[in-house]
Amino acid sequence: MQSLQGGEALALVPYADFINHSPFSSAYTDARESGSWLFKDSEQEIILYADRGCRKIEQVYISYGPKSNSELLLLYGFALEKNPYNSTIRADIDPLADEKLDFLQREESIIR
């Protein structure tokens, strides 16, 4: 989140985690100074800017960023059926494939 007073900042925003993800959305959240245009009060508030007009009770989506299904599953607990950012790395062209395989084999022997 961009803080108006100190640049980029982490923020716990109640209810923001209820906003679902769409890789095609250009809606976003941002901070702004609260109060009217004339009487600012040095507090900040979070605003959701929709990417289109919405009807009453219509769902608004934001994009969590260009993430593959493995990233979405790891970070947020879901994957998309049609994800334009989904990708895989072929093991035969992965420059670290041998090291990864060695690591997995070592870990497997430790677990047993």
Side-chain angles (χ1 to χ4, degrees), residues 22-38:
S22 169
F24 308 107
S25 176
S26 59
Y28 63 96
T29 58
D30 206 359
R32 74 172 187 189
E33 197 170 355
S34 62
S36 70
W37 65 273
L38 186 58

Side-chain angles (χ1 to χ4, degrees), residues 17 20-21 64 67-80:
D17 59 336
N20 284 326
H21 165 74
Y64 298 172
K67 297 188 177 358
S68 67
N69 276 342
S70 59
E71 290 175 293
L72 290 172
L73 190 59
L74 178 67
L75 297 171
Y76 305 107
F78 70 90
L80 300 173

Side-chain angles (χ1 to χ4, degrees), residues 56-108:
K56 191 175 186 178
I57 310 176
E58 186 177 2
Q59 186 169 184
V60 176
Y61 295 90
I62 61 173
S63 174
Y64 298 172
K67 297 188 177 358
S68 67
N69 276 342
S70 59
E71 290 175 293
L72 290 172
L73 190 59
L74 178 67
L75 297 171
Y76 305 107
F78 70 90
L80 300 173
E81 184 176 346
K82 295 181 179 177
N83 185 349
Y85 302 107
N86 202 25
S87 61
T88 56
I89 298 174
R90 289 182 23 199
D92 61 333
I93 61 170
D94 183 356
L96 299 174
D98 293 334
E99 289 83 355
K100 291 176 182 178
L101 186 57
D102 291 342
F103 173 79
L104 290 172
Q105 289 170 342
R106 282 195 312 271
E107 291 299 311
E108 185 178 327

